Amino acid sequence: MRSRTDPSQGRSPLSMSCLRTALMSLSLLFAATGHAQTSMCGSLASSYGPFDFRTDKDKLPIVTTAHFTPEVEALIRGTTSRLPGGDIAYTLRAIPNHHGALIAIVRLGEKEKTDKPHGSTFTVECWFDRAIRFRADDQLVRMIYADYLIKKQREADARAQLDVVKTLAADNAFTHHNLGLLLADLKDYDAALLHAHRAMALGLSHSALRDKLLAAGRWRDPVPAEASSAASAASQ
């Protein structure tokens, strides 16, 4: 196939200015079809990392010992500045799915009554966007995010995150237990009870979810016939 710019075809070649205009138009179209959020919340590229909080254990101490100290996590003070926001932000740039740092940035936003705490590069929600882009299968990130959304009274968005967690939960008893706690916060007590029974069937004896359902008057002990059906239903 000959190029439309082939002089042998008797056609005028495209000018460089036209080509640049066409490429710019394609770039704008690309940005408009779902990539605006990525741009708004920044690239995941980092001077150190990014590393996975769950698996890159040997890479984490150089960040956490210098930036995510107990004082920073407790929001008492920073290590590189007076306030902790900058150090939490550095931690999340290097380790986007650092569970403790995500919880800390949420708490700092609540403490300062702002969506973008002092020293934070991005808004609190952007840090969740980045963590999920980095590792979409991290169930705990999505549950921390769902808890944040519930507190913001964004029930539909919280449920969307929990729906993903349900597909990833498999036979993880702790995940089912924590899912049940969040569903109880949403007052979806039937679903919470289902995950409570599933966690029990998997051997988890924690009583927090049971106590929560008891306080709401919605606890019911599983019967033998329900055990297998709860296992199947919860996983779906």
Side-chain angles (χ1 to χ4, degrees), residues 164-175:
V164 177
V165 176
K166 288 176 189 177
T167 68
L168 299 170
D171 289 336
N172 188 313
F174 286 100
T175 298

Side-chain angles (χ1 to χ4, degrees), residues 3 10 14 40 45 74 80 85 129 133 135 140 144 153-154 172 174 181 187 207 209 226 236:
S3 166
L14 289 172
M40 183 171 60
T80 58
D129 168 88
R133 275 193 283 133
R135 291 294 182 265
L140 192 49
I144 297 168
Q153 299 183 328
R154 292 168 53 187
N172 188 313
F174 286 100
L181 287 171
K187 301 191 186 318
S207 63
L209 178 52
E226 292 177 330
Q236 295 178 21

Side-chain angles (χ1 to χ4, degrees), residues 90-155:
Y90 183 93
T91 302
L92 287 172
R93 285 196 300 273
I95 315 164
N97 63 332
H98 191 298
H99 305 146
L102 286 168
I103 292 171
I105 200 70
V106 169
R107 290 176 49 242
L108 186 59
E110 292 170 347
K111 180 180 180 180
E112 296 183 356
K113 296 181 172 56
T114 178
D115 290 330
K116 188 178 180 183
H118 183 84
S120 177
T121 321
F122 304 106
T123 64
V124 171
E125 191 150 12
C126 264
W127 290 118
F128 285 111
D129 168 88
R130 292 167 60 83
I132 290 171
R133 275 193 283 133
F134 178 61
R135 291 294 182 265
D137 67 334
D138 192 322
Q139 301 167 39
L140 192 49
V141 164
R142 290 183 182 274
M143 287 192 284
I144 297 168
Y145 187 25
D147 184 56
Y148 168 81
L149 292 168
I150 290 169
K151 291 175 182 175
K152 291 285 186 180
Q153 299 183 328
R154 292 168 53 187
E155 180 177 321

